[in-house]
Amino acid sequence: MLFRSAALRAKPALRPEHSLLSRAPVKNVGELARRRSGSDPSVPNASSIVLLAEYGETRILLTGDAAPSVLAPAVRRLLAERELSSLALTALKMPHHGSAKNITAELVRCLPASQYLFSTDGSYFKHPDDTAVATVLENGPSDFELVFNYDTPRTRAWEDDRLQDSYRYRVRYPDEGSEGIKLVWGSSA
């Protein structure tokens, strides 16, 4: 009996989070959003073409790989010309596939969107960065959608019900077997 109790004491304590039925811990979104450091110094990325497409009430901003050092001043200038503090978007295609160095809290607050589009499979640069997604969650509007064109473990982590309830967002992935996502905007949506 002495051997058995010593053996039991040597085993780690069993807790619900160690079970096979447990869920992964919720990401600390606030900490991730504050973790952003630096900016994208790439000249080619800073030279990306950015397109704001507007039709009626539909506004879609395609940012390419734009760096915040170029994108933010352009957004500020547009807002000043239109005498706005922010420009509500139907969709924002995240700069540089959701790189942490290409999105800022200021940009997300100035460009609140109904949908944030992440276009990457993450295989090379590991985008979208958790920091970029967290920046959207912390600074975005209420009731928005994260749209990922690939269903991967990196993007699937954001489907957590607790995060979605806390930050009031939804997540969309391509349908199984599909080669992409079809997005429909405007009056025919």
Side-chain angles (χ1 to χ4, degrees):
M1 188 67 139
L2 184 58
F3 171 75
R4 184 176 277 193
S5 88
L8 287 174
R9 279 195 305 274
K11 290 194 177 276
L14 294 177
R15 296 191 176 104
E17 62 267 21
H18 298 137
S19 78
L20 294 175
L21 300 176
S22 75
R23 299 168 75 176
V26 175
K27 294 177 181 288
N28 185 330
V29 173
E31 180 183 314
L32 284 168
R34 289 186 297 276
R35 193 181 291 171
R36 183 183 179 278
S37 63
S39 187
D40 184 346
S42 166
V43 172
N45 289 351
S47 303
S48 282
I49 294 173
V50 175
L51 173 68
L52 174 62
E54 297 178 295
Y55 182 75
E57 295 299 312
T58 303
R59 284 186 198 89
I60 301 162
L61 184 61
L62 305 173
T63 60
D65 289 343
S69 60
V70 175
L71 188 55
V75 168
R76 281 188 222 110
R77 187 172 51 251
L78 176 67
L79 293 175
E81 288 171 4
R82 294 186 180 190
E83 298 179 352
L84 297 170
S85 59
S86 65
L87 180 66
L89 299 173
T90 306
L92 172 64
K93 189 278 183 186
M94 294 296 287
H96 199 156
H97 316 286
S99 166
K101 294 186 179 216
N102 292 71
I103 193 68
T104 64
E106 175 195 12
L107 284 169
V108 175
R109 284 191 300 267
C110 287
L111 300 167
S114 297
Q115 295 177 315
Y116 294 88
L117 313 178
F118 294 86
S119 175
T120 180
D121 69 359
S123 61
Y124 190 72
F125 287 109
K126 309 295 183 222
H127 296 323
D129 290 325
D130 284 350
T131 299
V133 179
T135 299
V136 170
L137 268 58
E138 280 285 303
N139 299 283
S142 296
D143 192 33
F144 60 90
E145 186 174 51
L146 300 177
V147 181
F148 299 103
N149 70 327
Y150 283 89
D151 185 349
T152 67
R154 177 175 291 285
T155 60
R156 188 55 73 171
W158 296 102
E159 190 181 37
D160 188 292
D161 292 337
R162 295 164 291 178
L163 286 175
Q164 290 183 69
D165 289 344
S166 224
Y167 288 93
R168 298 177 315 277
Y169 72 95
R170 297 166 314 287
V171 182
R172 186 171 359 159
Y173 304 94
D175 293 330
E176 193 170 325
S178 172
E179 294 185 11
I181 291 181
K182 180 178 180 179
L183 299 171
V184 179
W185 300 295
S187 60
S188 63

